[in-house]
Amino acid sequence: MKPVKVLCIGGSDTSGGAGIQADLKAVSACGCWGMSVITAVTAQNTGGVSGIYPVAPEFVAKQLDTVLKDIGADAVKTGMLPTEEIIQAVVRKIKKYKINKVVVDPVMIAKGGKNLMNGKARTALVKDLLPLAFAVTPNIPEAEILAKMKIKSIPDMKEAALKIHELGVKNVLIKGGHLPADKKSDVTDILYNGSCYEFSSQRIHSRDTHGTGCTYASALSAGIARGGGIVDAALQAKIMMVAAIKNTVTLGMGYGSVNVFGELFKKHC
Ligand code: PXL
């Protein structure tokens, strides 16, 4: 069997809900082979992040060389990239191995408010990594930072998507979950790539939403790795997200996590 391969570059989350752990679960649930390059080790539980230990940039580069020169990747997904030096290492290797299916999840701040990326890294992400990206998947707070504007409505999301597109990314997918909304409203995501698309789904109310962004971007990467178009990949990723939010796991004393293996869990729990 020759699997479709997705390389996930990001941080480890001890709680298993977000970061590389979420990425590998989502990629596996999409029937692809997940691989990982770790950029940082975090200590965290359902109450938040208590520590971050970035990996040396040279060792990020070594992980990338080692896996890419042997196995290769049909798509690469980036998550937590804590420092400018780590971003430069990733940028160099994307260029060296001529990877064009790159999905950038611009992870900036964890749910509890902990910064997962320093200020210089934000600048490097915009200047050096986004122009290499096939797709970028900001949530509303991240899109506000990238587009340098406030987002309060769907028209604002469209305007922000246009601005982020001008940074050199082919496909901008802004997730609407954080948009202020009444309880009954749908969640609408906006895709802009020269044309504008809207994807709407029912809003599912849950406090256990840790890992949502990582899961969504990983499912999108799997769809792109398979050779599907961006619209089809975004639709499939959204369908998986809705199921993962319906099947959240309650863990610890704080926020639980989304769960892409709901049906499997139902058989065993
Ligand atoms: O959800 C963003 C994210 C990405 N990567 C790691 C994280 C988090 C959020 O907590 O811990 C490692």
Side-chain angles (χ1 to χ4, degrees), residues 11-13 18-19 42 44 49 80 107 110-111 116 210-211 214:
S12 163
D13 169 5
T42 72
Q44 63 180 295
V49 180
M80 179 180 176
V107 169
K111 202 184 182 83
L116 298 178
H210 184 55
C214 306

Side-chain angles (χ1 to χ4, degrees), residues 3 11 13 35 39 76 83-84 101 113 122 134 148 155 159 163-164 172 185 188 197 242 256 258:
D13 169 5
M35 301 174 288
T39 57
V76 162
T83 67
E84 181 188 12
K101 292 180 180 175
R122 277 188 195 179
F134 178 71
K148 300 194 171 102
E159 189 184 335
K163 290 191 173 169
I164 298 170
V172 179
S185 68
T188 300
Y197 304 83
V242 170
V258 298

Side-chain angles (χ1 to χ4, degrees), residues 177-225:
H178 290 79
L179 207 64
D182 63 60
K183 283 202 155 78
K184 279 183 268 140
S185 68
D186 287 348
V187 175
T188 300
D189 303 335
I190 298 293
L191 168 66
Y192 182 76
N193 57 8
S195 304
C196 193
Y197 304 83
E198 288 184 27
F199 303 93
S200 292
S201 59
Q202 65 184 119
R203 182 174 290 272
I204 303 154
H205 294 275
S206 172
R207 65 192 296 274
D208 299 327
T209 54
H210 184 55
T212 311
C214 306
T215 301
Y216 196 116
S218 297
L220 183 77
S221 308
I224 290 165

Side-chain angles (χ1 to χ4, degrees), residues 143-144 146-147 149-151 155-165 172 174:
E144 287 185 327
L146 294 176
M149 61 177 276
K150 281 272 159 218
I151 300 174
D156 289 349
M157 285 173 76
K158 291 181 180 169
E159 189 184 335
L162 231 85
K163 290 191 173 169
I164 298 170
H165 189 255
V172 179
I174 304 183

